[in-house]
Amino acid sequence: MIAAQDTTAISFTRSAGRRGLGPGGNGKTPGFFLHPVVAIDADEEAVLGLVGARIWTRPEERVTPRGGRAIEEKESLRWIEGAQLAADRLSDAAQLVVVGDQEADIWACFARRPAGADLLVRARHDRPLATGDTLFSAPASWRELDRYEIEIAPRRIGEKARKTKVVLRSGTIRVSRPAGAPQSDPAELELGLVEVREAAEPTGTNEPLLWRLLTTLPIAGKAAAKEAVRLYKLRWRIEEVFRALKSDGLKLEESQVQEVEHLFRLSALALAAAVRSLQLVGARDGGPRSMSDVLDPECIDAVEAISRSREGAVPRQQNPHPKGSLAWLSWIVARYGGWNCYGKPPGTKTMAQGWKQFAAVLAGFLLAQQLP
């Protein structure tokens, strides 16, 4: 099981008249921040659901410099809390790996790793090692494990994924405790480091790929190192959640809600809805997942009844998926969202709109069944 966590900013224009919000992501316009944790099946690579989230707004007044504050007084505490939340709520997983981007490269995250969870984080800091060298320079002396092709997810909306050949190295390092860390922390931590470096200079405006992945997972040998890379790539699913939450789906930043408390509640609901839209999109071509991932299985007969109006006379317009599967439900929701069974497959916008219509019809059908 993968628990991916990340932060996104929700910002509004100054003329919007919001009340109770501090500065947003650019430090100027009003806004707030979301830090969700999303569960992903490590084998199927499917989004399983929203584990939890922290939602907050920043104060207008300046805070004291970061170096003079304990981790408990910093926003970066969210990464530690997110890992603990995943460990608490996903304790039944056979293996749990909490994945984060470069913002999660915090000494305290590793020093306070929760029991039952491994960490996999892209390194941001060239930390001093107990051996005298530094984290970034260490892989230069390691042997090359493999050269193979990987696909890199697009960085921005409108870009396409690209494939490239990378050089893979891995080894064990001992990271020294930072000067500002509490003396109660270990003097050093033994971690695995996987370096993924693009084999040749990319064409166009693409930046050369260079990932340095810090992990508590075993990474000895080519297979283990490649598996760490594969698991880190699943972090991109949370970026897809943010897209479904914003421009590519629910358009949360266009909300007309004014009060900060109501905005926070709306955002929590919207996060769950964005995750659900991705689950439906991920199942549109079939798969083993059950409808119970997003809807109570007791609704199956009602769903079957209301879905008949979405089917046409020709085979192309009939639901091809097994009854009760997530793919079956995805097909129905897409039809309610306006998908015509031809052309481009349904995306998050279609699923978000479809769920709104589908849920209303389902609620009405269930209510009618309860009438005398």
Side-chain angles (χ1 to χ4, degrees):
M1 178 84 69
I2 297 296
Q5 58 174 332
D6 203 357
T7 304
T8 191
I10 305 297
S11 299
F12 305 95
T13 60
R14 285 196 176 275
S15 60
R18 313 285 171 177
R19 292 181 289 273
L21 293 177
N26 62 7
K28 298 177 181 178
T29 56
F32 61 96
F33 299 85
L34 303 171
H35 186 87
V37 181
V38 175
I40 303 164
D41 187 292
D43 296 322
E44 299 175 15
E45 303 188 358
V47 176
L48 300 180
L50 179 66
V51 180
R54 180 183 174 190
I55 307 175
W56 77 98
T57 189
R58 287 174 177 165
E60 291 283 357
E61 62 273 11
R62 291 182 176 273
V63 297
T64 57
R66 289 177 52 84
R69 288 178 284 144
I71 186 69
E72 290 80 9
E73 299 172 341
K74 299 176 182 178
E75 284 187 2
S76 50
L77 180 65
R78 67 191 185 272
W79 298 98
I80 300 173
E81 293 176 335
Q84 186 62 61
L85 181 71
D88 292 342
R89 297 188 176 177
L90 303 175
S91 57
D92 291 338
Q95 183 185 35
L96 174 62
V97 183
V98 181
V99 181
D101 66 0
Q102 288 183 302
E103 281 191 82
D105 181 14
I106 302 168
W107 164 267
C109 287
F110 290 96
R112 305 184 189 185
R113 173 169 64 104
D118 280 296
L119 302 181
L120 179 59
V121 173
R122 185 180 171 194
R124 180 182 184 182
H125 304 291
D126 192 12
R127 300 184 180 278
L129 304 182
T131 52
D133 52 356
T134 64
L135 189 151
F136 289 179
S137 64
S141 61
W142 298 346
R143 69 183 181 89
E144 182 179 311
L145 295 177
D146 198 10
R147 289 187 179 228
Y148 69 109
E149 188 176 76
I150 65 171
E151 184 173 271
I152 307 172
R155 295 175 300 171
R156 303 177 186 87
I157 294 176
E159 291 186 354
K160 294 183 178 180
R162 69 182 182 94
K163 293 182 177 180
T164 188
K165 182 169 287 188
V166 296
V167 178
L168 180 71
R169 292 182 171 88
S170 71
T172 301
I173 59 173
R174 300 200 313 278
V175 181
S176 300
R177 181 179 61 212
Q183 292 297 305
S184 57
D185 284 356
E188 59 185 52
L189 291 173
E190 185 172 282
L191 300 172
L193 174 61
V194 178
E195 184 187 77
V196 186
R197 185 182 292 270
E198 196 155 6
E201 192 73 18
T203 58
T205 59
N206 293 312
E207 296 178 3
L209 175 71
L210 176 56
W211 293 343
R212 301 179 180 98
L213 307 179
L214 282 170
T215 184
T216 59
L217 291 166
I219 44 84
K222 178 173 68 175
K226 292 177 75 170
E227 177 65 2
V229 175
R230 185 186 75 84
L231 295 180
Y232 177 74
K233 287 178 62 183
L234 293 181
R235 194 202 70 82
W236 182 250
R237 302 312 306 270
I238 200 169
E239 300 287 354
E240 294 176 322
V241 171
F242 293 153
R243 289 185 179 183
L245 183 71
K246 298 181 184 181
S247 59
D248 202 29
L250 299 173
K251 300 185 183 298
L252 182 59
E253 291 175 317
E254 297 180 14
S255 169
Q256 299 302 305
V257 175
Q258 300 291 311
E259 298 292 341
V260 63
E261 181 181 351
H262 298 159
L263 274 171
F264 283 7
R265 291 176 180 175
L266 175 64
S267 298
L269 294 172
L271 267 175
V275 169
R276 182 179 58 225
S277 294
L278 277 181
Q279 290 175 280
L280 293 168
V281 169
R284 67 190 179 192
D285 297 325
R289 306 299 310 179
S290 168
M291 179 187 83
S292 62
D293 281 4
V294 301
L295 189 65
D296 192 322
E298 292 183 2
C299 295
I300 189 169
D301 291 336
V303 173
E304 183 180 33
I306 67 175
S307 70
R308 295 188 187 119
S309 65
R310 301 293 98 182
E311 296 197 359
V314 299
R316 187 70 176 267
Q317 296 176 340
Q318 295 173 1
N319 198 328
H321 305 293
K323 176 183 174 180
S325 67
L326 186 58
W328 176 74
L329 180 63
S330 173
W331 189 94
I332 297 167
V333 172
R335 291 288 282 154
Y336 272 97
W339 179 55
N340 64 1
C341 303
Y342 300 90
K344 187 178 178 181
T348 52
K349 290 181 181 178
T350 299
M351 292 301 183
Q353 181 62 34
W355 186 268
K356 186 187 302 182
Q357 302 297 325
F358 164 79
V361 174
L362 178 61
F365 184 91
L366 294 174
L367 181 61
Q369 284 186 318
Q370 297 173 10
L371 295 176

